[in-house]
Amino acid sequence: MQTSQKHHSAAGLHMLYPQVYCSPQFQAIDKNGFSDIPSKENFFTLESSTASGSLPSYDSLSVSITSGRSPFSPQGSQSCISDLHPSPENVYGSPLSGASSFAYDEAGVKSKIRELEVSLLSGDTKVEEFSGFSPAAGKSWNWDELLALTPQLDLKEVLVEAARAVADGDFATAYGFLDVLEQMVSVSGSPIQRLGTYMAEGLRARLEGSGSNIYRALKCNEPTGRELMSYMGVLYEICPYWKFAYTTANTAILEAIAGETRVHIIDFQIAQGSQYLFLIQELGKRPGGPPLLRVTGVDDSQSTYARGGGLSLVGERLAKFAESCGVPFEFHDAVMSGCKVQREHLGVEPGFAVVVNFPYVLHHMPDESVSVENHRDRLLHLIKSLSPRLVTLVEQESNTNTSPFLSRFVETLDYYTAMFESIDAARPRDDKQRISAEQHCVARDIVNMIACEESERVERHEVLGKWRVRMMMAGFAGWPISTSVAFAASEILKGYDKNYKLGGSEGALYLFWKRRPMATCSAWKPNPNQIE
C-alpha cells in the first residue's frame, strides 16, 4: 500500500502496516517459596519460586489460533451493534473489596464502574509527562527543523504530540508530525520504532476517517489460514502470554473439579481446543478414574477462517485425544459470537459441574458505553445463572475501554512498548518471521484502538479493578489463585526471558514484563451472599 501524500487525505496504510509503571502494592519477596497469594502485598519472581509439589507445566501440542489478532485477542470482531491510566491506589484493587453482597442491576453496574473511572481519572500523569515537547509560546512548528533533527528527537514524545494534535482537531499540525514520524519509524528497528510504525498509521487512519475501513480491509486481506497459523505460532512460542492463560486456567480448573464425576467446561475462546489437551491428559491420570468431560466451544466466522473449518474439527480432535487418554468425552458447539450467546446455546444439562473459561475474550463484548444491551455484563449475569463451580478470567492489564482518545493513545503506547520489548528479547530485529507476526497479528488491534470509535472499536480492555467490579455486581466472589497455579505458571516462565515475572494481589495472579503488568488471571465463584 502506498503512503498518503503530505497533508492530504488519500486513504492508505503505508508499510502496514514508556515507560513502565507499577503499583506500589507489588513488592519483591526475598524469601524462598511462594507466599499465600490472597494477601495484597505479594510479588512473586522467578528467583523466589521454589514451591514444593510440582504440577506439570503446559506445552501446547499445537498452536491455538483463531484469526489475525494480537497474542491476546485472536478472535475476530465481536462488535454487536472516561478514563486515563490507572492510579496506583485503584488499579489492582476494587473499591468494593470490603463488600459482601450486591444486587445486580444495570444502574448499579454503571454507577460502580463510573465511580472507579472517576478515581482512575484523578491519578494519571503519563500524558503530562510528554508536555515539555512543544514550540515556544505563540510560534508554529518548524517542520524543516524537526525533520533535520529526527535523530535527536524522542520518538515517544513525537507520537504523543501527534496524537495531541489529532485530539485537538489541529489537522495541519498532526499531518506535519506524521511526516516527521515517517523518518523515525521502521518495522525492523527498535521496539519503539516498530510500534511507532503502527501507531502512526492508526493516527493517519483516524485523521482520514478511514479507521473502520482499514480495520475491515485488514480482515479481508489477512493471510491464508495456514499462513496465519504460522504467524500466530511464532508469537505463541516466543511470548508466554497464551501459555500463561492456558496454564493458570487449567490448573485452577483441575483444582475446582477434583472428585467430580461429570464436568462441563464452557469456553468462550475455544480456538483450536489446544488448551484442553493438557487438561484431558491430567484427567486421564486421576486416581479413581476420569470424569465424563463435556466441552462447549463458542466460535465465530473469524475462528473458522483461521482454523480452516468449523468447530467440528475441534470436537473431533479433542474426542480422539480424549479416547487415547481414556477420558469419556462429549463436545457441544455454539457457532456464534459471544454477544449472541443465550443459555439454550450452551448445552447445559443437570448433574454436571459447570466451569466457564474467558481467555482474553471478554474485552471484545460491548459494554454500557457502547450498547444499551450491555453484552459484557449480560453475559456475566447469564453465566452466574448457571451456578458454575468456577469461572476463570484472563485479560490484558490495560485501560482502554472508555478512555478519551489521547489517554487511550498513551495507554496503548505504554502497554505495547512493553509487549514489543518482550518480543524483541526473543528474536533478532531483522527476523522476517517476527516482522510478519507483528504486522499480521498485532497491527490491526493497534489501528482499531487508535482509529475507531463506538461499535467499530472492538478492542476495549479494562484493568482488573474494573473486572472485579463487574464480577461482583454480577454476583460473583473472588476465589484466590492457589500457590499450585502460581507455581505452574512459574514453570512456564523458566523457558522465557528473565524479565517476565509473576505478581499476586488480592487473590489474582499477574504476568509482568519487567515492572509493567501485562496480563491477569483471576478465578470466581458465585457469591452465596448475593442478593438476587
Side-chain angles (χ1 to χ4, degrees):
M1 287 175 276
Q2 299 297 317
T3 305
S4 58
Q5 296 299 314
K6 184 183 299 186
H7 300 183
H8 291 284
S9 58
L13 190 64
H14 73 288
M15 303 171 66
L16 178 81
Y17 314 127
Q19 275 285 97
V20 181
Y21 303 86
C22 180
S23 167
Q25 273 185 302
F26 296 104
Q27 298 177 356
I29 293 179
D30 294 325
K31 59 184 179 181
N32 290 331
F34 288 113
S35 299
D36 293 335
I37 289 184
S39 66
K40 297 182 182 180
E41 301 297 322
N42 291 341
F43 178 42
F44 303 103
T45 66
L46 296 182
E47 291 78 7
S48 66
S49 59
T50 57
S52 60
S54 173
L55 287 180
S57 60
Y58 174 65
D59 284 319
S60 173
L61 302 185
S62 68
V63 179
S64 173
I65 317 289
T66 53
S67 78
R69 314 292 290 163
S70 76
F72 300 106
S73 49
Q75 203 157 337
S77 170
Q78 300 212 24
S79 176
C80 300
I81 1 174
S82 289
D83 44 75
L84 296 177
H85 297 272
S87 64
E89 294 77 19
N90 294 287
V91 175
Y92 306 108
S94 166
L96 304 179
S97 58
S100 60
S101 64
F102 294 92
Y104 179 89
D105 67 271
E106 189 71 15
V109 170
K110 290 182 179 180
S111 174
K112 293 299 180 182
I113 292 294
R114 183 56 186 160
E115 176 184 330
L116 182 56
E117 289 174 353
V118 170
S119 182
L120 293 175
L121 275 165
S122 66
D124 182 57
T125 60
K126 294 183 182 179
V127 175
E128 294 306 317
E129 289 178 1
F130 297 94
S131 61
F133 184 69
S134 59
K139 294 186 179 180
S140 300
W141 292 95
N142 186 324
W143 302 116
D144 291 336
E145 180 180 339
L146 283 179
L147 286 169
L149 293 174
T150 51
Q152 287 78 46
L153 296 178
D154 185 296
L155 179 51
K156 283 189 175 183
E157 291 190 355
V158 178
L159 282 166
V160 172
E161 288 304 319
R164 195 189 304 276
V166 172
D168 292 342
D170 186 350
F171 290 0
T173 298
Y175 276 114
F177 275 120
L178 288 176
D179 291 337
V180 174
L181 286 168
E182 283 188 12
Q183 309 303 314
M184 301 179 71
V185 300
S186 169
V187 295
S188 60
S190 66
I192 186 59
Q193 286 177 317
R194 304 197 311 266
L195 173 59
T197 301
Y198 310 131
M199 298 200 73
E201 291 307 335
L203 289 175
R204 189 180 299 278
R206 187 179 183 91
L207 280 171
E208 296 168 357
S210 57
S212 299
N213 291 333
I214 290 175
Y215 187 67
R216 286 191 291 268
L218 288 176
K219 289 168 63 178
C220 295
N221 296 329
E222 59 191 358
T224 65
R226 183 178 296 275
E227 291 172 330
L228 189 54
M229 293 279 280
S230 176
Y231 297 144
M232 285 297 293
V234 170
L235 290 181
Y236 181 88
E237 290 303 322
I238 67 178
C239 303
Y241 303 117
W242 272 101
K243 289 183 181 180
F244 169 79
Y246 289 173
T247 300
T248 53
N250 274 340
T251 309
I253 290 170
L254 285 169
E255 292 178 344
I257 63 174
E260 296 292 342
T261 58
R262 289 155 61 91
V263 177
H264 184 182
I265 299 176
I266 301 171
D267 192 303
F268 279 83
Q269 179 60 64
I270 191 67
Q272 308 301 307
S274 298
Q275 172 173 348
Y276 299 106
L277 298 178
F278 166 83
L279 188 138
I280 289 171
Q281 190 174 50
E282 291 305 302
L283 290 177
K285 302 174 184 177
R286 196 169 79 170
L292 168 61
L293 176 63
R294 163 174 276 216
V295 173
T296 291
V298 179
D299 199 28
D300 68 358
S301 60
Q302 289 295 311
S303 304
T304 301
Y305 170 80
R307 191 167 46 237
L311 274 175
S312 61
L313 297 177
V314 176
E316 292 169 4
R317 176 183 182 223
L318 292 179
K320 184 176 181 180
F321 187 77
E323 183 179 7
S324 71
C325 296
V327 177
F329 182 81
E330 299 174 355
F331 186 79
H332 177 78
D333 60 42
V335 185
M336 64 190 68
S337 161
C339 295
K340 299 180 180 179
V341 167
Q342 302 291 339
R343 186 187 180 103
E344 58 267 24
H345 299 137
L346 299 175
V348 177
E349 296 181 0
F352 281 81
V354 175
V355 173
V356 179
N357 187 36
F358 287 113
Y360 298 126
V361 67
L362 201 53
H363 71 269
H364 285 145
M365 303 297 110
D367 70 346
E368 68 279 355
S369 68
V370 182
S371 168
V372 293
E373 296 169 297
N374 192 355
H375 292 287
R376 188 170 297 194
D377 291 322
R378 178 194 68 80
L379 193 58
L380 291 177
H381 198 47
L382 168 62
I383 296 305
K384 168 62 164 52
S385 73
L386 305 179
S387 300
R389 188 61 47 87
L390 190 74
V391 176
T392 52
L393 175 65
V394 182
E395 280 290 347
Q396 292 172 247
E397 186 66 1
S398 184
N399 196 31
T400 63
N401 182 21
T402 57
S403 301
F405 167 70
L406 183 57
S407 297
R408 184 168 78 244
F409 183 92
V410 176
E411 171 75 350
T412 302
L413 176 61
D414 178 63
Y415 185 89
Y416 281 92
T417 294
M419 180 190 286
F420 275 63
E421 286 179 353
S422 72
I423 295 173
D424 196 63
R427 287 290 179 96
R429 291 181 180 177
D430 60 352
D431 185 277
K432 293 182 179 179
Q433 286 187 325
R434 179 202 55 73
I435 294 172
S436 294
E438 289 175 349
Q439 287 179 337
H440 293 290
C441 303
V442 184
R444 191 174 66 185
D445 283 2
I446 294 171
V447 170
N448 182 253
M449 280 184 282
I450 294 173
C452 300
E453 295 294 348
E454 299 179 348
S455 62
E456 293 290 345
R457 181 160 64 88
V458 298
E459 298 300 323
R460 293 179 170 273
H461 307 105
E462 293 187 316
V463 293
L464 184 56
K466 288 188 178 183
W467 289 119
R468 183 173 283 113
V469 172
R470 292 190 188 279
M471 296 299 293
M472 295 178 72
M473 293 300 293
F476 292 96
W479 188 257
I481 295 295
S482 72
T483 55
S484 295
V485 176
F487 179 71
S490 74
E491 289 295 290
I492 288 294
L493 294 190
K494 288 181 179 179
Y496 293 92
D497 189 275
K498 66 180 181 180
N499 284 304
Y500 289 107
K501 302 181 188 300
L502 296 177
S505 179
E506 296 199 25
L509 188 66
Y510 288 73
L511 174 62
F512 285 79
W513 169 255
K514 298 181 180 177
R515 291 180 57 81
R516 210 304 178 184
M518 301 297 292
T520 61
C521 174
S522 57
W524 304 85
K525 292 190 175 185
N527 186 347
N529 299 317
Q530 173 73 31
I531 301 173
E532 297 292 346

